[in-house]
Amino acid sequence: MVKSPERQRGVQSVDMAIRLLEIVRKESQPMMLRDIAVSAGITSAQAHTYMSSLKKFGMIEQLGDAGRYALSDATLTFARHVIRNDATLNANINVARSLSAEIQEMVTVDCLVQEQPTVIFAVQGPRTPSLSLRPGTRSRIGNSAAARIFDAWSDTPEMNPNLSRIIRASGYAHAEGTPVPHLASLAAPVFREGALVASISVIGFPDAMAPEPERPVLRALLAAVSSLGGSSA
């Protein structure tokens, strides 16, 4: 059956909308409309029409006085659908649940979303104070061990090079006073086919989160990651 011109135009419109989302996704900073248009090979007026529709449906947001475009948090809804069908990420979540039950502390699984470490799963442990960490919560260098993991294995680490080397050599990161005062976190990397795909973190009081390999919480975290084939090299 030959498709009508109207149907063909409809498909092309979807293709372009997805292409624009991909352009914005790949950029680490919010983008100006003209830059999006240039990357897509269309006029600014055409780009504006697409971006207005994407914004209407909650896929895109505009930030700051300049109105730069970025993916909205609503895109995490699609990420959750992917996670449910991704065997590796599901395995991480199952391990995180088991780890939390074993050590009685809060455990999270983080992935890079829009180039930022982002919680995709969190389970509250009875020993950990109630925290507002939930899927979609983002972190940055200096306020979580998970962020330090992703930075240490990035091509251009922001941290002191010595700290990056220590994290890579030891296979875990530690942060204290975060994500809230009087708490600390430990995180270890999970790899798939040699690529860093996630970080599993434990959050609790500093005495339990001490970064000595013989301490029970760190031992349990490293064993959990090792069961996923995630111990680093």
Side-chain angles (χ1 to χ4, degrees):
M1 179 178 176
V2 178
K3 296 179 180 179
S4 67
E6 290 77 16
R7 183 170 178 80
Q8 290 177 352
R9 282 198 297 270
V11 171
Q12 291 168 357
S13 296
V14 172
D15 288 346
M16 179 55 72
I18 293 173
R19 184 178 178 188
L20 294 175
L21 286 172
E22 184 68 5
I23 288 169
V24 175
R25 182 192 69 79
K26 288 181 177 179
E27 184 61 43
S28 59
Q29 301 293 330
M31 298 183 70
M32 296 292 291
L33 180 67
R34 63 175 179 270
D35 296 327
I36 297 171
V38 169
S39 296
I42 59 178
T43 67
S44 292
Q46 290 173 312
H48 182 265
T49 299
Y50 282 105
M51 300 307 282
S52 295
S53 293
L54 291 169
K55 182 179 176 181
K56 175 183 176 182
F57 288 101
M59 304 303 295
I60 287 289
E61 61 183 351
Q62 286 184 276
L63 306 173
D65 296 336
R68 294 174 183 263
Y69 291 90
L71 294 184
S72 74
D73 287 343
T75 55
L76 289 170
T77 301
F78 291 93
R80 292 186 190 108
H81 286 290
V82 172
I83 290 166
R84 281 199 291 267
N85 294 304
D86 187 290
T88 299
L89 293 178
N90 272 313
N92 293 342
I93 289 170
N94 290 335
V95 164
R97 284 197 181 100
S98 298
L99 177 60
S100 181
E102 175 187 351
I103 64 176
Q104 301 289 287
E105 303 283 4
M106 185 174 201
V107 178
T108 69
V109 178
D110 293 72
C111 291
L112 282 183
V113 177
Q114 299 176 33
E115 304 305 317
Q116 286 185 281
T118 304
V119 175
I120 63 166
F121 174 79
V123 57
Q124 179 74 45
R127 292 180 184 171
T128 310
S130 181
L131 299 176
S132 60
L133 291 180
R134 63 187 188 280
T137 300
R138 296 172 181 171
S139 61
R140 63 184 185 278
I141 304 305
N143 79 344
S144 83
R148 293 181 178 184
I149 287 292
F150 286 106
D151 187 65
W153 268 273
S154 71
D155 293 333
T156 55
E158 296 179 26
M159 293 183 295
N160 180 291
N162 288 332
L163 180 56
S164 293
R165 283 193 289 269
I166 290 170
I167 291 173
R168 292 176 68 108
S170 62
Y172 63 88
H174 174 260
E176 190 165 339
T178 61
V180 296
H182 313 303
L183 293 183
S185 58
L186 290 164
V190 179
F191 294 89
R192 178 170 58 187
E193 298 178 355
L196 177 63
V197 295
S199 170
I200 294 182
S201 300
V202 181
I203 300 167
F205 291 110
D207 57 343
M209 300 298 116
E212 287 85 28
E214 69 276 7
R215 299 298 291 267
V217 170
L218 181 54
R219 276 206 318 268
L221 171 62
L222 294 178
V225 169
S226 180
S227 73
L228 292 163
S231 55
S232 65

mmCIF file of all heavy atoms in Angstrom, residues 40-69:
data_model
loop_
_atom_site.group_PDB
_atom_site.id
_atom_site.type_symbol
_atom_site.label_atom_id
_atom_site.label_comp_id
_atom_site.label_asym_id
_atom_site.label_seq_id
_atom_site.Cartn_x
_atom_site.Cartn_y
_atom_site.Cartn_z
ATOM 1 N N ALA A 40 20.464 20.806 13.329
ATOM 2 C CA ALA A 40 19.451 19.996 12.643
ATOM 3 C C ALA A 40 19.370 20.297 11.156
ATOM 4 O O ALA A 40 18.717 19.555 10.404
ATOM 5 C CB ALA A 40 18.086 20.220 13.279
ATOM 6 N N GLY A 41 20.011 21.388 10.714
ATOM 7 C CA GLY A 41 19.958 21.757 9.301
ATOM 8 C C GLY A 41 18.618 22.323 8.874
ATOM 9 O O GLY A 41 18.203 22.158 7.722
ATOM 10 N N ILE A 42 17.949 23.005 9.806
ATOM 11 C CA ILE A 42 16.660 23.637 9.486
ATOM 12 C C ILE A 42 16.722 25.100 9.917
ATOM 13 O O ILE A 42 17.678 25.535 10.561
ATOM 14 C CB ILE A 42 15.483 22.923 10.194
ATOM 15 C CG1 ILE A 42 15.675 22.946 11.720
ATOM 16 C CG2 ILE A 42 15.347 21.494 9.696
ATOM 17 C CD1 ILE A 42 14.524 22.308 12.497
ATOM 18 N N THR A 43 15.698 25.873 9.556
ATOM 19 C CA THR A 43 15.673 27.281 9.948
ATOM 20 C C THR A 43 15.275 27.422 11.411
ATOM 21 O O THR A 43 14.667 26.507 12.001
ATOM 22 C CB THR A 43 14.678 28.067 9.086
ATOM 23 O OG1 THR A 43 13.344 27.622 9.390
ATOM 24 C CG2 THR A 43 14.954 27.877 7.597
ATOM 25 N N SER A 44 15.572 28.570 11.972
ATOM 26 C CA SER A 44 15.190 28.834 13.365
ATOM 27 C C SER A 44 13.673 28.817 13.522
ATOM 28 O O SER A 44 13.149 28.363 14.545
ATOM 29 C CB SER A 44 15.750 30.177 13.828
ATOM 30 O OG SER A 44 17.162 30.130 13.920
ATOM 31 N N ALA A 45 12.963 29.303 12.507
ATOM 32 C CA ALA A 45 11.501 29.307 12.571
ATOM 33 C C ALA A 45 10.953 27.879 12.615
ATOM 34 O O ALA A 45 10.025 27.572 13.377
ATOM 35 C CB ALA A 45 10.922 30.056 11.371
ATOM 36 N N GLN A 46 11.520 27.004 11.789
ATOM 37 C CA GLN A 46 11.099 25.603 11.823
ATOM 38 C C GLN A 46 11.423 24.964 13.172
ATOM 39 O O GLN A 46 10.607 24.249 13.760
ATOM 40 C CB GLN A 46 11.787 24.829 10.699
ATOM 41 C CG GLN A 46 11.300 25.175 9.306
ATOM 42 C CD GLN A 46 12.142 24.506 8.231
ATOM 43 O OE1 GLN A 46 13.376 24.557 8.266
ATOM 44 N NE2 GLN A 46 11.475 23.873 7.273
ATOM 45 N N ALA A 47 12.633 25.238 13.669
ATOM 46 C CA ALA A 47 13.028 24.673 14.963
ATOM 47 C C ALA A 47 12.099 25.152 16.066
ATOM 48 O O ALA A 47 11.725 24.385 16.952
ATOM 49 C CB ALA A 47 14.476 25.054 15.276
ATOM 50 N N HIS A 48 11.711 26.421 16.007
ATOM 51 C CA HIS A 48 10.821 26.970 17.030
ATOM 52 C C HIS A 48 9.483 26.244 17.054
ATOM 53 O O HIS A 48 8.920 25.962 18.116
ATOM 54 C CB HIS A 48 10.599 28.466 16.788
ATOM 55 C CG HIS A 48 9.730 29.107 17.824
ATOM 56 N ND1 HIS A 48 8.373 29.263 17.658
ATOM 57 C CD2 HIS A 48 10.024 29.595 19.060
ATOM 58 C CE1 HIS A 48 7.859 29.845 18.731
ATOM 59 N NE2 HIS A 48 8.833 30.054 19.597
ATOM 60 N N THR A 49 8.963 25.918 15.876
ATOM 61 C CA THR A 49 7.684 25.196 15.809
ATOM 62 C C THR A 49 7.791 23.837 16.482
ATOM 63 O O THR A 49 6.925 23.454 17.282
ATOM 64 C CB THR A 49 7.257 25.006 14.338
ATOM 65 O OG1 THR A 49 7.082 26.295 13.730
ATOM 66 C CG2 THR A 49 5.950 24.238 14.245
ATOM 67 N N TYR A 50 8.851 23.114 16.186
ATOM 68 C CA TYR A 50 9.047 21.796 16.801
ATOM 69 C C TYR A 50 9.265 21.910 18.312
ATOM 70 O O TYR A 50 8.669 21.161 19.094
ATOM 71 C CB TYR A 50 10.249 21.088 16.170
ATOM 72 C CG TYR A 50 9.963 20.483 14.817
ATOM 73 C CD1 TYR A 50 10.442 21.084 13.654
ATOM 74 C CD2 TYR A 50 9.228 19.309 14.704
ATOM 75 C CE1 TYR A 50 10.193 20.523 12.402
ATOM 76 C CE2 TYR A 50 8.979 18.742 13.461
ATOM 77 C CZ TYR A 50 9.453 19.357 12.312
ATOM 78 O OH TYR A 50 9.203 18.798 11.080
ATOM 79 N N MET A 51 10.103 22.850 18.705
ATOM 80 C CA MET A 51 10.412 22.978 20.126
ATOM 81 C C MET A 51 9.191 23.413 20.922
ATOM 82 O O MET A 51 9.002 22.989 22.075
ATOM 83 C CB MET A 51 11.569 23.969 20.332
ATOM 84 C CG MET A 51 12.866 23.578 19.634
ATOM 85 S SD MET A 51 13.454 21.900 20.021
ATOM 86 C CE MET A 51 14.174 22.171 21.624
ATOM 87 N N SER A 52 8.341 24.220 20.320
ATOM 88 C CA SER A 52 7.107 24.634 20.997
ATOM 89 C C SER A 52 6.205 23.435 21.259
ATOM 90 O O SER A 52 5.610 23.303 22.334
ATOM 91 C CB SER A 52 6.361 25.678 20.167
ATOM 92 O OG SER A 52 7.118 26.862 20.064
ATOM 93 N N SER A 53 6.117 22.534 20.273
ATOM 94 C CA SER A 53 5.299 21.330 20.452
ATOM 95 C C SER A 53 5.908 20.408 21.510
ATOM 96 O O SER A 53 5.201 19.863 22.359
ATOM 97 C CB SER A 53 5.161 20.577 19.125
ATOM 98 O OG SER A 53 4.410 21.331 18.196
ATOM 99 N N LEU A 54 7.221 20.236 21.461
ATOM 100 C CA LEU A 54 7.894 19.386 22.453
ATOM 101 C C LEU A 54 7.745 19.964 23.857
ATOM 102 O O LEU A 54 7.571 19.224 24.835
ATOM 103 C CB LEU A 54 9.372 19.233 22.095
ATOM 104 C CG LEU A 54 9.660 18.405 20.839
ATOM 105 C CD1 LEU A 54 11.118 18.537 20.432
ATOM 106 C CD2 LEU A 54 9.301 16.936 21.053
ATOM 107 N N LYS A 55 7.788 21.286 23.961
ATOM 108 C CA LYS A 55 7.596 21.937 25.261
ATOM 109 C C LYS A 55 6.160 21.756 25.744
ATOM 110 O O LYS A 55 5.907 21.505 26.931
ATOM 111 C CB LYS A 55 7.934 23.421 25.134
ATOM 112 C CG LYS A 55 7.819 24.186 26.449
ATOM 113 C CD LYS A 55 8.192 25.649 26.242
ATOM 114 C CE LYS A 55 7.990 26.431 27.541
ATOM 115 N NZ LYS A 55 8.319 27.878 27.350
ATOM 116 N N LYS A 56 5.208 21.843 24.814
ATOM 117 C CA LYS A 56 3.798 21.671 25.161
ATOM 118 C C LYS A 56 3.538 20.308 25.782
ATOM 119 O O LYS A 56 2.747 20.165 26.717
ATOM 120 C CB LYS A 56 2.946 21.841 23.898
ATOM 121 C CG LYS A 56 1.454 21.566 24.106
ATOM 122 C CD LYS A 56 0.704 21.699 22.791
ATOM 123 C CE LYS A 56 -0.769 21.325 22.961
ATOM 124 N NZ LYS A 56 -1.491 21.405 21.660
ATOM 125 N N PHE A 57 4.222 19.276 25.276
ATOM 126 C CA PHE A 57 4.021 17.923 25.783
ATOM 127 C C PHE A 57 5.015 17.554 26.893
ATOM 128 O O PHE A 57 5.111 16.395 27.279
ATOM 129 C CB PHE A 57 4.097 16.921 24.634
ATOM 130 C CG PHE A 57 2.895 16.973 23.730
ATOM 131 C CD1 PHE A 57 2.955 17.639 22.518
ATOM 132 C CD2 PHE A 57 1.698 16.383 24.108
ATOM 133 C CE1 PHE A 57 1.845 17.711 21.689
ATOM 134 C CE2 PHE A 57 0.585 16.444 23.289
ATOM 135 C CZ PHE A 57 0.649 17.110 22.071
ATOM 136 N N GLY A 58 5.732 18.558 27.391
ATOM 137 C CA GLY A 58 6.568 18.344 28.566
ATOM 138 C C GLY A 58 7.890 17.670 28.327
ATOM 139 O O GLY A 58 8.558 17.258 29.277
ATOM 140 N N MET A 59 8.328 17.562 27.067
ATOM 141 C CA MET A 59 9.594 16.901 26.776
ATOM 142 C C MET A 59 10.776 17.858 26.830
ATOM 143 O O MET A 59 11.913 17.448 27.015
ATOM 144 C CB MET A 59 9.538 16.241 25.390
ATOM 145 C CG MET A 59 8.388 15.261 25.211
ATOM 146 S SD MET A 59 8.410 13.951 26.449
ATOM 147 C CE MET A 59 9.925 13.114 26.040
ATOM 148 N N ILE A 60 10.489 19.136 26.657
ATOM 149 C CA ILE A 60 11.516 20.170 26.615
ATOM 150 C C ILE A 60 11.127 21.274 27.591
ATOM 151 O O ILE A 60 9.950 21.560 27.783
ATOM 152 C CB ILE A 60 11.634 20.758 25.184
ATOM 153 C CG1 ILE A 60 12.301 19.763 24.235
ATOM 154 C CG2 ILE A 60 12.390 22.077 25.176
ATOM 155 C CD1 ILE A 60 13.782 19.542 24.467
ATOM 156 N N GLU A 61 12.131 21.901 28.196
ATOM 157 C CA GLU A 61 11.883 23.070 29.032
ATOM 158 C C GLU A 61 12.841 24.182 28.646
ATOM 159 O O GLU A 61 13.897 23.922 28.062
ATOM 160 C CB GLU A 61 12.038 22.726 30.517
ATOM 161 C CG GLU A 61 13.426 22.235 30.906
ATOM 162 C CD GLU A 61 13.503 21.848 32.368
ATOM 163 O OE1 GLU A 61 12.533 22.115 33.108
ATOM 164 O OE2 GLU A 61 14.529 21.279 32.768
ATOM 165 N N GLN A 62 12.437 25.416 28.945
ATOM 166 C CA GLN A 62 13.294 26.570 28.679
ATOM 167 C C GLN A 62 13.795 27.123 29.999
ATOM 168 O O GLN A 62 13.033 27.270 30.962
ATOM 169 C CB GLN A 62 12.541 27.642 27.899
ATOM 170 C CG GLN A 62 12.333 27.287 26.431
ATOM 171 C CD GLN A 62 11.684 28.404 25.656
ATOM 172 O OE1 GLN A 62 10.475 28.541 25.647
ATOM 173 N NE2 GLN A 62 12.514 29.210 25.005
ATOM 174 N N LEU A 63 15.094 27.455 30.027
ATOM 175 C CA LEU A 63 15.743 27.840 31.270
ATOM 176 C C LEU A 63 16.358 29.223 31.153
ATOM 177 O O LEU A 63 16.900 29.590 30.107
ATOM 178 C CB LEU A 63 16.847 26.838 31.628
ATOM 179 C CG LEU A 63 16.425 25.365 31.694
ATOM 180 C CD1 LEU A 63 17.640 24.480 31.890
ATOM 181 C CD2 LEU A 63 15.418 25.144 32.819
ATOM 182 N N GLY A 64 16.273 29.997 32.242
ATOM 183 C CA GLY A 64 16.934 31.292 32.305
ATOM 184 C C GLY A 64 16.283 32.358 31.454
ATOM 185 O O GLY A 64 15.331 32.111 30.709
ATOM 186 N N ASP A 65 16.826 33.557 31.561
ATOM 187 C CA ASP A 65 16.279 34.689 30.808
ATOM 188 C C ASP A 65 16.441 34.508 29.303
ATOM 189 O O ASP A 65 15.644 35.020 28.519
ATOM 190 C CB ASP A 65 16.976 35.990 31.244
ATOM 191 C CG ASP A 65 16.694 36.336 32.705
ATOM 192 O OD1 ASP A 65 15.654 35.880 33.225
ATOM 193 O OD2 ASP A 65 17.509 37.050 33.311
ATOM 194 N N ALA A 66 17.483 33.789 28.897
ATOM 195 C CA ALA A 66 17.730 33.592 27.462
ATOM 196 C C ALA A 66 16.829 32.524 26.868
ATOM 197 O O ALA A 66 16.776 32.372 25.641
ATOM 198 C CB ALA A 66 19.192 33.225 27.227
ATOM 199 N N GLY A 67 16.123 31.792 27.704
ATOM 200 C CA GLY A 67 15.207 30.776 27.197
ATOM 201 C C GLY A 67 15.883 29.625 26.493
ATOM 202 O O GLY A 67 15.373 29.083 25.506
ATOM 203 N N ARG A 68 17.061 29.239 26.973
ATOM 204 C CA ARG A 68 17.761 28.099 26.373
ATOM 205 C C ARG A 68 16.975 26.812 26.597
ATOM 206 O O ARG A 68 16.275 26.660 27.604
ATOM 207 C CB ARG A 68 19.167 27.966 26.957
ATOM 208 C CG ARG A 68 20.086 29.127 26.595
ATOM 209 C CD ARG A 68 21.415 29.023 27.319
ATOM 210 N NE ARG A 68 22.270 30.163 27.025
ATOM 211 C CZ ARG A 68 23.221 30.168 26.098
ATOM 212 N NH1 ARG A 68 23.445 29.067 25.389
ATOM 213 N NH2 ARG A 68 23.947 31.231 25.872
ATOM 214 N N TYR A 69 17.103 25.885 25.670
ATOM 215 C CA TYR A 69 16.321 24.648 25.701
ATOM 216 C C TYR A 69 17.121 23.492 26.307
ATOM 217 O O TYR A 69 18.312 23.328 26.045
ATOM 218 C CB TYR A 69 15.889 24.267 24.290
ATOM 219 C CG TYR A 69 14.870 25.203 23.684
ATOM 220 C CD1 TYR A 69 15.275 26.318 22.941
ATOM 221 C CD2 TYR A 69 13.503 24.983 23.847
ATOM 222 C CE1 TYR A 69 14.339 27.185 22.375
ATOM 223 C CE2 TYR A 69 12.560 25.851 23.285
ATOM 224 C CZ TYR A 69 12.991 26.939 22.558
ATOM 225 O OH TYR A 69 12.071 27.793 22.005
#
